[in-house]
Amino acid sequence: MKELKRLRLKFIISNMAMVTVVIVLAFLAVGYFTKYRMDRNNEQMLWEAAAGEPVPARWEEEGVRMPYFILVTDGEDQIVRVEGRYSPGQDGEMLQRLAAQSLSSAEDRGVLEMYQLLYLRRPLGSGYRIAYMDTSLGDSFAESMWRNLGIIGVAVWLVLLMVSCVLSRWAVDPVGRSIRREKQFVADASHELKTPLTVIMANAQLLADQEPPADKDGARWLKNIVQEAEGMKKLVEEMLALARSEADMGKKVQETCSFSDVVIESVLSFEAVFYQGKRELESDVEEGICVRGDEKDLRRLMGILLDNADKYSPEGSRTRVSLNRVQGKKVRLTVENTGAEIPKEKLEEIFERFYRSDSSRSDRKGYGLGLAIAKSVVERCRGTIRAESGDGENRFIVELRTAECRKKESDGK
């Protein structure tokens, strides 16, 4: 059922939105905490190395070999000694350039981006003791950490998505049972009411047809009984049709029928109705268009749309029916009539059960089930229906997928 699908989708979206926020916050916290610890360790190692110890004792005890080296300069900014477990090379000119850049900076601590080195400068006699640490390893580790966290986060998100899909079925199952019971009740009640209403109508009609006729008041009452019973019977039949259509919603439609023939025959059957109402009915139907769907349902769809155009268009107006192929393997049916425009905010609500769009239409006959039935028929055929309104015209547009037409057997076979 479409309601359950929407409910499951909302459950999954809300659940995954919460999961996404938690995963992102958790992994960002882990990543930034790890990066913070790395920076703190690097900073501490630099301070210990720059303090004068050739090898920071605590790092040696932990078995950690940090990529660092120390340059000691004299009062003339010349390198007098190189210390440490790591050196970028024996090129004296390059070491002198490193020392010059570190000494020319106004800050005692900084980063030499070109060489990916972090330095800390401390005064030593007339010169300086400058500790350097290679940040390329740390940068590579940080990049790898963020990449791995991203991969793990996506994997966890996908696993939780599958779990949410499974849980959504369990969560909406009670709602689904309630909806199914409601629809079954409507179908059963409609079916049970149909027979007594038929009996009431038959008996009332027999009394009304008696000769000599009953008194004036009695005749009027019998006429009212017949009229109201006919209205009730129509309502029950529409409710039953809607219930049956929704019950078959999940079933795959196997039948193939000529939609062109259905539209043409429906237009021809309504020509007299429009003529009596002093309205024009035009059609432009492309031949040879077939779709998957039950022919009776498609005729009901056409009857609803044409009846709707007849009810809600004034005398002298024009209704146009067109059927043609569109891009891809789709076919578009358009029923367009002049009349009072439907408010934009009501264009989707008019397909709801028992909906009456405005007071201007309340004096018309009907119970607001026609368009709901039309929508259920279209959705069962895996199509879409929508309404548009503007420039004094209302349009109902149906789009279905085309199917291969079956060849009719020739006469005599």
Side-chain angles (χ1 to χ4, degrees), residues 69-83 87-89 91-112 114-115 117-122 127-133:
F69 65 97
I70 302 168
L71 299 180
V72 180
T73 63
D74 57 16
E76 297 180 355
D77 296 341
Q78 297 297 316
I79 299 175
V80 297
R81 189 169 66 252
V82 179
E83 302 174 357
S87 174
D91 188 349
E93 292 184 2
M94 189 184 73
L95 294 177
Q96 191 62 50
R97 286 197 299 271
L98 292 176
Q101 291 186 26
S102 303
L103 293 170
S104 64
S105 175
E107 302 292 335
D108 290 336
R109 181 185 178 281
V111 179
L112 303 178
M114 181 180 298
Y115 302 101
L117 292 174
L118 180 67
Y119 73 88
L120 179 63
R121 186 179 66 202
R122 298 287 300 277
Y128 288 93
R129 182 183 181 84
I130 311 172
Y132 296 89
M133 176 177 289

Side-chain angles (χ1 to χ4, degrees), residues 137-206:
L137 180 61
D139 294 341
S140 176
F141 173 79
E143 182 180 350
S144 176
M145 176 191 67
W146 288 115
R147 183 173 59 251
N148 291 336
L149 285 176
I151 294 173
I152 294 172
V154 171
V156 171
W157 191 89
L158 291 175
V159 171
L160 292 177
L161 175 61
M162 290 187 289
V163 173
S164 295
C165 291
V166 174
L167 289 178
S168 67
R169 292 180 179 274
W170 171 79
V172 304
D173 185 60
V175 180
R177 289 198 299 268
S178 177
I179 293 176
R180 284 191 289 270
R181 284 196 297 266
E182 177 190 348
K183 291 185 176 180
Q184 186 63 43
F185 169 76
V186 172
D188 293 342
S190 301
H191 181 75
E192 294 299 327
L193 287 171
K194 188 176 179 180
T195 300
L197 281 173
T198 303
V199 175
I200 291 172
M201 288 178 60
N203 284 275
Q205 192 64 50
L206 286 173

Side-chain angles (χ1 to χ4, degrees), residues 4 19 69 92 132 177 187 261 362 411:
L4 292 181
V19 166
F69 65 97
Y132 296 89
R177 289 198 299 268
D261 292 345
S362 61
D411 297 337

